[in-house]
Amino acid sequence: MTSIIKSTLKLLFRNVIFWIFLIAMPVLSTLMLRLQAANFGLRDSGAREEVLEIDDANERAGYFGGNGKYVIKVYDASCSELSDRMLCGLAESGMITVVRAKTPDITESEVTDLVSFDGYNDFVGADLYLDKDFDEHVLNGDSDKALTVYILSDDERYELLENEIKMFMGQVSNALHMGGKEDVIKNLDTLRTSLPEKVIVFTDAAGGRKLTDRQLDQKALVGYAFAFLTLGFVFGGALIAYSVIRERKDMVLTRVRVSLLTDAKYFAAKFICGGIVSFIYAVVTSLITLVIDSDKLGMSRIGFFSMVFLLGLIFCSISLMIGILYDDVMSATVSAFILWTLSSLLSGLYFSLDAAGEAIKTMSYLMPSKWFLDATEMMMLGDNKVYFMILCVTTAYLIVTLGLGSIGIKIRNHE
């Protein structure tokens, strides 16, 4: 058993690809942790009740959509204080995402072309064009000349947009009755202060965990770092699986069976190699992350090292199991890459799954990275139960992978 471990590690350390992944993945993960994050982990777009500005009128506004809000793109030719008040009112309604492009020199034909382009290439519910004489038309009560609404989807929430615009026009009318046109802005502010104040309350996440915005940003960056690290772990396990496939084809396994070494012990030797690889990855990653402050991690360095090591142990063993079951280097490599892709997507490493459907959320709990991302939250909040949780999760995955791997070796030897 010891000789198998030594020979496997020798082959592994002679492989250039292994060293590339060993250096590149920890470096990339550290670069992600060094990012100056701001609003990466924002709870949802509901917290951003403000007008979102874009510099280019051709930029797509659909990218700013989130949590099912009704997205509108505004071509503002007036760029006045009154138009700002109307758009801010739309954004603060809590139902509409307003994306504005300031276009003071735009012509009606250019607006028509842009609206036609948005209808086919953008994911917005409506376009809104504000005339350059918006203030004058609004103060004269001529809303048809002040703005034009272009409905670009069959989303019936366009009625919400129309009602909000009518409500604004009514507020302007009331402000005019309170004083002259020159006092409209001041009177609008007076009317606004008389309205009930809206308070946004965030509910706790699953399990009663509640993170600050800074902690949400840190969690998002740790998720990106885990995505790079798991790629290294997956291919580390695939390289160990390659040694199994090679030894089987070279009749090494036959000689191993003659030496009375059981299939379970043989697989255990390969698994130990995966554990050594995971430990090396964790050590290299921990050393490289010394260049950043521990505050960037949002947790202790020991906790970070523990999670990296255990996460690597799981992915190396899963990748090793897949390689044994396939008995083909190319199939094992492709399957390992697919495993990494699906796991990263469904675990929430790239983006939050809070707004996902129940089916996606249920599938995410089958992914190891999901549990370690939850463990990150627990560590940030100082929950001491986190270590017991990740040990249980790691044990559960290892029991499954070790069992399937041993069965796979027996099947291949029987064949």
Side-chain angles (χ1 to χ4, degrees):
M1 188 172 175
T2 305
S3 59
I4 294 176
I5 296 174
K6 291 181 179 179
S7 61
T8 303
L9 293 177
K10 285 181 181 179
L11 291 174
L12 198 62
F13 293 151
R14 291 172 183 172
N15 195 315
V16 178
I17 298 177
F18 170 76
W19 289 104
I20 292 175
F21 277 102
L22 179 62
I23 302 301
M25 296 303 105
V27 168
L28 290 174
S29 63
T30 303
L31 290 177
M32 295 306 303
L33 293 171
R34 284 178 61 90
L35 288 177
Q36 298 295 325
N39 296 329
F40 277 13
L42 194 64
R43 299 175 191 271
D44 56 52
S45 59
R48 296 160 53 184
E49 294 188 345
E50 59 197 27
V51 179
L52 305 177
E53 305 285 352
I54 55 177
D55 298 327
D56 188 356
N58 293 309
E59 185 176 346
R60 289 177 172 82
Y63 295 135
F64 296 92
N67 258 10
K69 278 194 172 186
Y70 189 71
V71 183
I72 66 170
K73 186 176 182 180
V74 181
Y75 298 102
D76 189 357
S78 66
C79 303
S80 65
E81 189 174 0
L82 192 59
S83 69
D84 283 342
R85 295 303 173 93
M86 188 192 76
L87 296 180
C88 287
L90 294 177
E92 292 173 358
S93 68
M95 299 172 288
I96 301 171
T97 296
V98 180
V99 183
R100 174 171 65 176
K102 293 184 178 180
T103 53
D105 300 323
I106 197 170
T107 63
E108 292 186 6
S109 61
E110 290 174 340
V111 172
T112 303
D113 293 338
L114 288 170
V115 170
S116 177
F117 177 84
D118 293 338
Y120 287 101
N121 299 280
D122 207 348
F123 296 97
V124 295
D127 276 357
L128 184 62
Y129 168 64
L130 306 185
D131 190 81
K132 62 181 179 179
D133 297 322
F134 174 82
D135 289 15
E136 179 182 349
H137 294 315
V138 169
L139 296 177
N140 292 331
D142 195 351
S143 59
D144 292 337
K145 291 183 179 180
L147 57 88
T148 306
V149 179
Y150 301 89
I151 307 301
L152 301 180
S153 72
D154 55 359
D155 192 330
E156 295 182 356
R157 288 180 296 175
Y158 70 87
E159 296 178 356
L160 298 174
L161 173 62
E162 294 178 346
N163 289 336
E164 289 293 330
I165 293 175
K166 290 178 181 178
M167 186 180 300
F168 173 77
M169 295 301 175
Q171 292 174 350
V172 172
S173 177
N174 292 334
L176 288 173
H177 284 95
M178 294 171 61
K181 294 182 179 181
E182 63 277 1
D183 296 326
V184 168
I185 299 297
K186 182 178 68 175
N187 293 335
L188 283 175
D189 291 338
T190 302
L191 291 172
R192 182 176 180 180
T193 55
S194 64
L195 296 174
E197 183 179 358
K198 180 172 66 174
V199 178
I200 299 175
V201 179
F202 291 110
T203 58
D204 293 350
R209 294 189 294 272
K210 186 175 181 180
L211 303 179
T212 64
D213 288 340
R214 184 171 183 273
Q215 288 174 329
L216 288 169
D217 290 336
Q218 290 174 327
K219 176 190 170 184
L221 295 181
V222 170
Y224 298 146
F226 280 170
F228 284 113
L229 290 174
T230 51
L231 179 61
F233 295 142
V234 164
F235 279 93
L239 292 174
I240 298 174
Y242 168 71
S243 69
V244 177
I245 297 171
R246 180 176 176 180
E247 287 170 357
R248 183 181 297 113
K249 292 182 179 180
D250 293 342
M251 303 301 291
V252 175
L253 282 182
T254 303
R255 295 193 293 271
V256 167
R257 297 185 69 185
V258 172
S259 67
L260 302 180
L261 185 68
T262 62
D263 295 333
K265 289 184 178 180
Y266 175 79
F267 182 74
K270 297 297 182 181
F271 170 75
I272 292 173
C273 292
I276 294 173
V277 169
S278 302
F279 182 78
I280 294 174
Y281 263 99
V283 170
V284 172
T285 303
S286 299
L287 291 176
I288 294 178
T289 52
L290 289 175
V291 300
I292 62 177
D293 297 332
S294 58
D295 292 340
K296 289 279 188 178
L297 300 176
M299 66 188 82
S300 66
R301 295 192 183 275
I302 295 177
F304 182 73
F305 173 85
S306 301
M307 287 209 298
V308 172
F309 171 65
L310 294 177
L311 186 62
L313 198 60
I314 293 174
F315 274 96
C316 279
S317 61
I318 293 176
S319 185
L320 173 59
M321 177 198 68
I322 291 176
I324 291 173
L325 294 178
Y326 270 98
D327 197 30
D328 178 75
V329 176
M330 182 59 67
S331 300
T333 304
V334 173
S335 299
F337 184 77
I338 294 175
L339 165 69
W340 170 75
T341 303
L342 292 178
S343 177
S344 299
L345 287 174
L346 296 178
S347 299
L349 297 185
Y350 299 138
F351 45 81
S352 175
L353 299 179
D354 292 340
E358 291 300 324
I360 299 297
K361 289 182 178 179
T362 302
M363 291 176 61
S364 70
Y365 284 103
L366 298 175
M367 307 299 161
S369 301
K370 165 64 177 176
W371 296 96
F372 282 83
L373 206 57
D374 288 346
T376 300
E377 291 185 3
M378 296 174 68
M379 285 191 176
M380 288 179 176
L381 296 175
D383 191 343
N384 294 326
K385 298 178 182 178
V386 61
Y387 294 102
F388 179 73
M389 187 269 281
I390 58 177
L391 282 175
C392 290
V393 170
T394 303
T395 302
Y397 278 104
L398 293 182
I399 289 174
V400 174
T401 52
L402 288 174
L404 292 177
S406 299
I407 294 172
I409 287 181
K410 290 182 179 179
I411 293 174
R412 292 301 179 187
N413 289 338
H414 180 71
E415 293 176 352

